[in-house]
Amino acid sequence: MRLLRFALPGLLAVFLASPLLAQSADEIFDEVDRRQRLVESQRAEIQMEIVDEQGRTRTRQMLLLTKVGDDDRTQSLVVFTAPADIRGTGLLTIETASGDEQKLYLPALRRVQRIAGSNRGERFAGSDFTYEDLGSRDPDAYTSTLFRTTDDAFVLDIRPTEAADTAYDRIVLGIDRERYAILRADYYDGNTVVKRLRSSDFEEVIPGVWQAGRLVMEDVANGRQTVLTFTSRDSGTALRDDLFTERQLQRGATGL
Amino acid sequence: MAAPNPCARQRSLDCDGGAVVARDNSSGVGWGGVQTLWLAALLLLVLPVCAQEAPRLTGYVEPYAAVQVGGDGAFLAGRTRARLDLDGAFDRGAYVVRNEITYDLLGDSLAYDLREAYLDVFFSTVDLRAGRQLLVWGETDGAFITDLLAPLDLSEFLTQPQERLRLGVTALKATAYLGDVTLDGVWIPVSPTTAIPAAGGPWDPLPAEVLGVPLAYAEPERPDARLATSELAARLTWSGLPRTDLALLVHDGTNRVPGFTKHPAFSIPEGLRIEVTPTYRRRTVLGATFETALLDPVVLRGEAAYESQALFDEPVPTSPLALLDSTFAESLERGFLVERPQVQAALTAERIVGTNMFRLTGLGRWILDHDEEVSAEAFQPALTGLWNGTFRRETLTLRAFAYWNIGADLWLSPSLTYALRDALNLEVGVQLFENLDETEDTSPLSGLIQEPSRAFAVYDANDLLYARLRYSF
């Protein structure tokens, strides 16, 4: 469970609605990123279903709080609420000037421990999402090309520069032309698609900002997939700073 | 050296249908157990009514079996444990009741334990917790250097899961959150006692007799339960440095792992025997801990503690000639148990590579004012290592833990846990104890109790294979 790490803002796809005239690839990608940061705090209940190659499903449920501070640094608290054997396990992540502070709470041991920063390429809680997939991408670390424009989407081909911290050689993004939300993403290793993300059930979480309510990440090579479903989400209420503390980490979901 | 030595048994056997059961002074279904049952029932009835947040029932069912490897393959344990927890929240507070019922297949006995029952009250910068609770301090696996407050369940030595080793203690705890400073204050009205192995059971480290004289255990000796003998503890944690926590702590109370006095006794019809008394005495412990992730990807943890009056065994004479020694009378009077100050320290380095976590810890115990009256070595070094790897998308966990008392003995504990489905886990593993210094005699009473550097050697014949199935709900 130490592998949990949420580098939000904006869990996963984020996404907007105001129509823009600017149509270059860089401008589209910048706009997605800019809108992504408009969500300053969010409380979300999430269900994660991990489906293996035999079709067996494991289910995780979690509560996620995120907040972007005045200094543009993100705080997040993840508390697992199911299944029962991991209930109460929590991870607190606070971005600081000297790097991420991460504290893990294991309720069985009643102990809060600091952990080292996670590798962005590691899988999140055994799912098909890596921490990189769940975090934001800095448009400045990629070169973008507008591949084509379809009826509903801009199709961008983004490739990492040396500044990018990514495990992929190339990502092809489908971005909603109306909402500037990521509808789909194909992740490449060389010229081979290794994973596919499909987003649906979009919700306007604050005026002009749309987020997916369901995300399906398919591991093409291994025939597996993970489905993330937001069962509830509140982006309109500012979260208190004292929720992102060791005190709350030990309380788990109590009072949240 | 930091590992506790349970090293004692209650010779006043609790027999149930001829089976020996462990005497656990902090739990069980004696008169105290009946009281706790009533308390638990009361809390179960009353608390949900008071609650604003819907009460939640959770728990697990866990069959467990352990069989001796080598020897005659005897069953060392066989039981089913059921856990039922109730928790909920109300405005500015919460409550928790954790119950545990264990059916012991080998002893055909049933035991109840109120693991925890407490109320939380939250204020703006202060949390209060009152009731029976687990108090966990400290930083080191397998050691209890600054983990001073919780009594332990050592009825099966250290072979139970780490989460199960600590017992609840009735206390009032206040925690103040003052920016980068957190201050814990704990008041424990009555000093708790640790659960020790059953006399004559597989984890009893003592021989049944010494030089033909049987051992007989007396009731524990501990301070009377009065306000003046209640315990106080405090911990101040400072998190003002980047990615680093520092803490200072103090505990004024009794030792959690008892020392043992030994006196000859004679009565009719029992005859001559050596009376062994588990002993808890007041002492003060000053400690400090730190934890830092500054050296990312390595996390460092450390702790150290000074104990004013730790209890140590004196060598018990095994030859009649020793009775002529001029110091024998003094040793006899104090029950072959002496008090000395000691310092314990540990430093841990943790590194995570992919889904593998590695921990290496160096430990040391220094007995101050050491002399020939203390049977243990003046300095006892040890190393522990832990590897925990998760595979197959966190459905398979491999774990290996090793505790090496350098030059003395070794404990190895590898295990495999597989998630058969959500919340259903099967764990299989072995516990191996090795005596690395065959020149040391591990059988006599002398030098055994309270000498942790021999803690594993005494169980050399107790290597075991176990399986544990847990369904959580």
Side-chain angles (χ1 to χ4, degrees):
Chain A
M1 277 309 130
R2 74 151 288 287
L3 299 179
L4 316 180
R5 178 184 173 188
F6 266 49
L8 289 160
L11 180 67
L12 313 169
V14 184
F15 331 98
L16 311 179
S18 81
L20 291 179
L21 296 176
Q23 298 298 311
S24 79
D26 286 343
E27 287 169 330
I28 294 169
F29 197 11
D30 283 344
E31 185 61 15
V32 170
D33 181 65
R34 189 184 72 79
R35 298 300 182 106
Q36 169 177 309
R37 297 177 185 280
L38 292 179
V39 179
E40 294 181 346
S41 67
Q42 189 171 77
R43 178 194 184 280
E45 293 176 23
I46 302 170
Q47 177 170 293
M48 182 167 72
E49 294 172 288
I50 305 167
V51 185
D52 70 11
E53 50 271 44
Q54 276 90 44
R56 291 176 301 203
T57 300
R58 290 185 297 136
T59 304
R60 305 272 179 271
Q61 291 176 15
M62 68 198 89
L63 184 62
L64 167 67
L65 304 182
T66 57
K67 181 175 184 179
V68 181
D70 295 337
D71 53 3
D72 208 29
R73 291 184 181 136
T74 302
Q75 307 172 91
S76 68
L77 176 67
V78 185
V79 179
F80 279 85
T81 54
D85 55 341
I86 61 170
R87 182 186 299 124
T89 300
L91 181 80
L92 175 67
T93 303
I94 299 175
E95 286 183 0
T96 69
S98 59
D100 286 354
E101 296 229 13
Q102 290 193 292
K103 292 186 176 182
L104 177 69
Y105 178 64
L106 298 172
L109 299 180
R110 306 295 173 86
R111 190 174 278 173
V112 175
Q113 291 192 322
R114 287 182 178 273
I115 58 174
S118 301
N119 186 323
R120 281 169 60 84
E122 291 171 4
R123 296 180 184 282
F124 169 68
S127 74
D128 294 288
F129 289 92
T130 63
Y131 296 105
E132 175 187 349
D133 301 332
L134 296 168
S136 58
R137 294 184 190 282
D138 178 5
D140 294 338
Y142 292 82
T143 58
S144 307
T145 306
L146 181 58
F147 216 41
R148 62 179 181 275
T149 301
T150 67
D151 289 345
D152 65 337
F154 301 114
V155 180
L156 262 57
D157 182 348
I158 67 169
R159 298 182 186 234
T161 66
E162 287 187 356
D165 182 9
T166 179
Y168 306 114
D169 295 323
R170 174 189 174 203
I171 305 172
V172 175
L173 298 174
I175 297 171
D176 189 308
R177 291 178 59 178
E178 297 290 323
R179 298 166 171 171
Y180 281 78
I182 296 176
L183 299 172
R184 50 190 173 268
D186 293 341
Y187 300 88
Y188 284 78
D189 179 8
N191 290 319
T192 305
V193 175
V194 291
K195 294 203 299 189
R196 285 198 180 98
L197 174 71
R198 298 294 179 265
S199 309
S200 61
D201 300 348
F202 284 88
E203 174 189 2
E204 191 174 27
V205 295
I206 58 175
V209 178
W210 293 78
Q211 293 187 346
R214 175 182 163 88
L215 301 113
V216 180
M217 179 68 88
E218 179 188 1
D219 182 334
V220 176
N222 296 308
R224 306 168 56 105
Q225 70 174 27
T226 298
V227 181
L228 278 184
T229 306
F230 285 76
T231 53
S232 80
R233 180 158 46 195
D234 177 9
S235 304
T237 306
L239 297 173
R240 304 189 315 269
D241 281 336
D242 64 6
L243 296 177
F244 301 94
T245 59
E246 193 173 314
R247 186 185 192 185
Q248 184 62 52
L249 180 64
Q250 294 181 78
R251 287 184 191 171
T254 300
L256 296 181
Chain B
M1 228 330 287
N5 191 327
C7 291
R9 55 186 176 175
Q10 300 262 3
R11 193 60 70 176
S12 52
L13 296 179
D14 289 339
C15 294
D16 182 1
V20 177
V21 297
R23 282 274 306 263
D24 177 349
N25 293 316
S26 58
S27 60
V29 204
W31 172 236
V34 173
Q35 288 177 313
T36 51
L37 274 169
W38 276 110
L39 175 62
L42 187 67
L43 289 168
L44 281 167
L45 289 171
V46 172
L47 288 176
V49 177
C50 307
Q52 290 190 348
E53 207 168 272
R56 186 176 54 182
L57 275 175
T58 58
Y60 60 77
V61 178
E62 182 189 87
Y64 170 81
V67 63
Q68 189 181 25
V69 177
D72 57 1
F75 278 104
L76 297 178
R79 62 167 169 266
T80 298
R81 182 166 280 154
R83 172 79 171 261
L84 187 63
D85 297 345
L86 173 76
D87 66 77
F90 51 89
D91 185 32
R92 293 192 161 275
Y95 61 88
V96 167
V97 182
R98 302 191 201 284
N99 307 275
E100 197 171 84
I101 298 173
T102 303
Y103 172 68
D104 180 2
L105 175 66
L106 304 183
D108 191 21
S109 59
L110 200 61
Y112 168 79
D113 184 16
L114 180 63
R115 297 280 295 168
E116 291 185 279
Y118 60 77
L119 278 171
D120 280 331
V121 182
F122 307 139
F123 299 98
S124 60
T125 57
V126 175
D127 290 350
L128 290 180
R129 176 169 293 177
R132 188 170 170 86
Q133 56 191 286
L134 289 179
L135 294 167
V136 181
W137 287 1
E139 301 283 350
T140 308
D141 296 324
F144 302 88
I145 296 171
T146 58
D147 197 1
L148 301 164
L149 306 182
L152 304 173
D153 181 354
L154 300 176
S155 57
E156 295 175 19
F157 189 48
L158 296 171
T159 60
Q160 297 194 74
Q162 198 178 349
E163 69 200 55
R164 188 62 185 64
L165 285 177
R166 294 177 186 83
L167 296 170
V169 57
T170 299
L172 173 64
K173 183 178 77 165
T175 304
Y177 299 92
L178 309 167
D180 290 333
V181 172
T182 303
L183 180 62
D184 293 298
V186 181
W187 177 55
I188 300 173
V190 179
S191 297
T193 56
T194 277
I196 55 180
W203 298 104
D204 183 352
L206 300 183
E209 58 181 36
V210 173
L211 293 175
V213 181
L215 304 182
Y217 278 64
E219 287 297 309
E221 172 198 321
R222 59 172 172 167
D224 294 337
R226 290 180 287 113
L227 186 62
T229 60
S230 61
E231 300 188 1
L232 292 172
R235 180 175 63 174
L236 187 148
T237 305
W238 180 54
S239 306
L241 293 174
R243 309 173 77 183
T244 300
D245 296 313
L246 302 171
L248 297 173
L249 51 94
V250 59
H251 176 217
D252 184 29
T254 61
N255 47 304
R256 293 300 186 249
V257 179
F260 295 85
T261 59
K262 287 81 63 178
H263 289 101
F266 181 83
S267 61
I268 297 174
E270 289 85 357
L272 181 64
R273 63 191 183 278
I274 298 173
E275 194 169 84
V276 179
T277 305
T279 302
Y280 298 86
R281 290 186 187 157
R282 191 94 180 181
R283 87 282 191 259
T284 301
V285 180
L286 302 172
T289 69
F290 80 93
E291 183 179 42
T292 181
L294 271 180
L295 302 177
D296 195 346
V298 174
V299 174
L300 288 180
R301 300 187 183 99
E303 59 183 321
Y306 167 83
E307 186 172 350
S308 61
Q309 291 169 299
L311 299 176
F312 298 99
D313 291 293
E314 286 187 70
V316 173
T318 54
S319 161
L321 292 177
L323 304 181
L324 304 176
D325 193 301
S326 60
T327 61
F328 177 77
E330 295 173 9
S331 297
L332 186 63
E333 186 177 0
R334 57 181 172 245
F336 297 92
L337 190 69
V338 293
E339 298 173 349
R340 295 286 186 277
Q342 73 166 356
V343 172
Q344 296 184 89
L347 180 64
T348 298
E350 177 183 293
R351 173 79 196 270
I352 293 171
V353 180
T355 59
N356 294 276
M357 189 260 292
F358 301 91
R359 274 186 200 153
L360 183 65
T361 301
L363 304 105
R365 178 167 91 167
W366 294 264
I367 302 174
L368 309 181
D369 301 336
H370 185 272
D371 56 26
E372 69 280 354
E373 291 178 350
V374 180
S375 60
E377 298 289 329
F379 173 61
Q380 298 169 27
L383 284 174
T384 73
L386 172 67
W387 165 60
N388 193 94
T390 58
F391 306 94
R392 297 180 59 83
R393 309 290 179 94
E394 297 190 3
T395 56
L396 175 65
T397 301
L398 301 179
R399 184 181 190 274
F401 178 70
Y403 197 130
W404 177 33
N405 287 313
I406 296 172
D409 57 9
L410 178 69
W411 173 34
L412 292 173
S413 176
S415 66
L416 176 156
T417 303
Y418 186 69
L420 299 169
R421 47 158 292 182
D422 283 344
L424 179 62
N425 295 299
L426 172 67
E427 178 184 347
V428 294
V430 294
Q431 308 268 4
L432 304 172
F433 303 96
E434 295 298 326
N435 181 8
L436 302 177
D437 185 359
E438 298 293 347
T439 61
E440 289 278 346
D441 187 351
T442 60
S443 61
L445 188 61
S446 172
L448 193 61
I449 294 172
Q450 289 294 301
E451 187 175 3
S453 66
R454 309 297 301 160
F456 308 133
V458 72
Y459 298 121
D460 205 9
N462 270 18
D463 293 348
L464 64 89
L465 170 68
Y466 71 90
R468 174 181 290 113
L469 187 64
R470 176 182 289 189
Y471 176 68
S472 304
F473 58 89

